[in-house]
Each structure stands twice: as C-alpha cells, then as structure tokens.
C-alpha cells in the first residue's frame, strides 16, 4: 500500500499529539507543580511582644518625645504632654490636633490609648479623640478612626470607638473600662486618584480593637465629616493625625505608636 509522504507525517503528528494528551491525562500530579519559591519575603524581626515595633517599623512615639509630630494647624513643634512614657492630649485653647511630620500612603498602624479612670461627660463628650488615618487638612479634615469612651456610654453607633466616623458601625464593642489601655491595629489602604483629581480606587480600613476585628476591609465613602455626606478630595501621601477634641472631659493618653509602610 502506498501512503503519500506528507500524509504519513500528518498521521504521525496526530498519533504523537494524541499520545501526549493521553500521557498528560495519566501523569500523576506532582506536589512540586504548585510550589512557589520566589519572591522570597523580606525578613522582619518581630518585637518581643506583638505590641512592640517590628524591625521595619517607623516608631512615631516611643514614650520619650514628640519629635515625629507637629501641630496640624501651623506645623510648629507639637505641644501635647509627654510624661511617664505616655502622651496626653493638650486641650488648651489654640493647641489643637497634632500630626506626623512624615506622610504615608498604605500602612499597618499600631497605637494604644487610654481613657482616664476619672472620665466625666457622656455621649460624644466623654473621652473623645481620634486617629485620623490620613490628615488632609489642618482641622478635622481626613479619615477619622474614632477614639471615645465606649464602655457603657451610649452614642450614635457610627460615632462610637472603633467606627470610621459616621461611616462604619463597628462589628463589636470591644471597649475596656476607663483607666485601662486599649489597642488599635489598623490596616489602611489609601484612596487613589486619577490625573483630573477624580477617584480611582476608594480607601479601605481594617481595624482590630483590643484584638477584636471591628472593621473588616471597610470601604470608605470619602472623608469622615461631622456634617454632610462624605466625599473624596484628591491627595497623594498624608500625615497621621491625633485629635484634640473640644469637649470638656478629661484628656486621654496615647502610647506605643508605630507604623509599617506597605508596598
Ligand atoms: Mg473624635
């Protein structure tokens, strides 16, 4: 029988392809097929305790001084009180909010705060402060994670501690009693903007309050405003700001503040 050579080649190709497919189907799965070896994560040496700054953290307050902070109003040196390794809000007239010298984009933040044991007042006027995850102006502009005495202190729930002010209702009330130290661990994903200033991607915040998840990748609608609907205003990098709230209750304290910039 005579078979034309090109036809023979074609037939051989079909047989080879078929056997290849068959071989692939019958080949035993290999665990190595799904192993990934690169990129190798950088080594970060953790602190002695999880609340201590890891080796790559930027320490914003270690109990000694306010060198990393300035007045949010005029960028003069911060005038809050440093004593006994802690930082206490200065509510004197004209002092106001303080913010970091350094500006950030996406980050992981650790910050501890304490409502004084002799706290007075009620609702929003009881230990009110705040951590602005991005400060976009000298006043209360930006994105505030509320700090407030929320231990048996009723207020609107999107304004209690753990809330992204007037936007998120925390998933739980993890408040400790006044006088005890409390912790926020935050993952902040900054909003991004197009060339024309319009929003490209929104901001997200994940917050653990005393180890309890209270904001789970919460998508913000814009800045956290006291009055009106939130909106976005374009910025690139921003300081982190702490609030000197104007209520008359006893000033609260902070300690052990550090941040890790995220890629
Ligand atoms: Mg506040």
């Amino acid at each position: 029988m005579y078979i034309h050579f090109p036809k023979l080649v074609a037939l051989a190709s079909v047989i080879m392809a078929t056997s290849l497919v068959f071989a692939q189907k019958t080949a035993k799965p290999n665990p190595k097929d799904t192993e990934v070896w690169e990129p190798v994560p950088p080594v970060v040496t953790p602190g002695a305790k999880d609340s201590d700054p890891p080796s790559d953290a930027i320490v914003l307050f270690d109990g000694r001084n306010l060198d990393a902070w300035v007045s949010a109003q005029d960028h003069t040196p911060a005038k809050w009180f440093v004593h006994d390794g802690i930082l206490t809000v200065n509510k004197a007239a004209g002092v106001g909010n303080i913010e970091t010298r350094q500006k950030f984009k996406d980050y992981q933040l650790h910050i501890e705060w304490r409502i004084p044991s002799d706290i007075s007042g009620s609702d929003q006027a009881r230990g009110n402060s705040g951590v602005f995850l991005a400060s976009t102006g000298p006043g209360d502009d930006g994105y505030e994670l509320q700090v407030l005495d929320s231990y048996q202190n009723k207020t609107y729930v999107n304004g209690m501690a753990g809330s992204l002010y007037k936007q998120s209702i925390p998933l739980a009330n993890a408040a400790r009693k006044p006088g005890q130290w409390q912790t926020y661990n935050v993952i902040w994903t900054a909003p991004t903007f197009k060339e024309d200033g319009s929003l490209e991607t929104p901001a997200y915040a994940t917050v653990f309050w005393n180890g309890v998840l209270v904001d789970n990748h919460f998508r913000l609608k814009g800045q956290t405003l006291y009055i009106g609907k939130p909106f976005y205003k374009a910025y690139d990098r921003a300081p982190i700001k702490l609030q000197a709230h104007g209520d008359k209750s006893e000033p609260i304290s902070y300690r052990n503040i550090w941040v890790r910039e995220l890629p």
Side-chain angles (χ1 to χ4, degrees), residues 106-200:
D106 302 337
Y107 59 78
Q108 170 190 348
L109 172 71
H110 175 92
I111 185 165
E112 298 172 26
W113 50 280
R114 185 182 66 185
I115 304 290
S117 54
D118 60 348
I119 192 72
S120 62
S122 62
D123 194 354
Q124 291 285 303
R126 186 178 170 90
N128 197 330
S129 181
V131 181
F132 286 82
L133 303 173
S135 169
T136 55
D140 284 351
D141 293 348
Y143 303 82
E144 182 187 8
L145 168 59
Q146 177 68 301
V147 171
L148 188 75
D149 178 21
S150 285
Y151 184 82
Q152 300 177 350
N153 174 37
K154 198 162 188 177
T155 190
Y156 44 94
V157 290
N158 61 350
M160 63 181 282
S163 69
L164 284 317
Y165 185 69
K166 286 198 170 170
Q167 293 193 44
S168 77
I169 299 168
L171 300 170
N173 181 347
R176 292 195 175 114
K177 286 183 182 177
Q180 296 182 9
W181 283 99
Q182 313 202 49
T183 304
Y184 281 152
N185 282 294
V186 182
I187 300 161
W188 172 248
T189 304
T192 61
F193 299 89
K194 296 175 188 162
E195 291 252 318
D196 66 0
S198 62
L199 185 70
E200 174 110 56

Side-chain angles (χ1 to χ4, degrees), residues 49 51 61-63 80-89 110-117 129 131 147-149 151 174-185 208-211 242 251-257:
K49 300 191 299 290
S51 55
F61 180 68
D62 66 358
W80 288 15
F81 306 110
V82 177
H83 58 103
D84 306 320
I86 68 176
L87 165 62
T88 295
V89 181
H110 175 92
I111 185 165
E112 298 172 26
W113 50 280
R114 185 182 66 185
I115 304 290
S117 54
S129 181
V131 181
V147 171
L148 188 75
D149 178 21
Y151 184 82
R176 292 195 175 114
K177 286 183 182 177
Q180 296 182 9
W181 283 99
Q182 313 202 49
T183 304
Y184 281 152
N185 282 294
F208 290 88
W209 176 13
N210 298 330
L242 301 179
I252 81 150
S253 300
Y254 290 96
R255 72 176 183 190
N256 197 16
I257 311 171

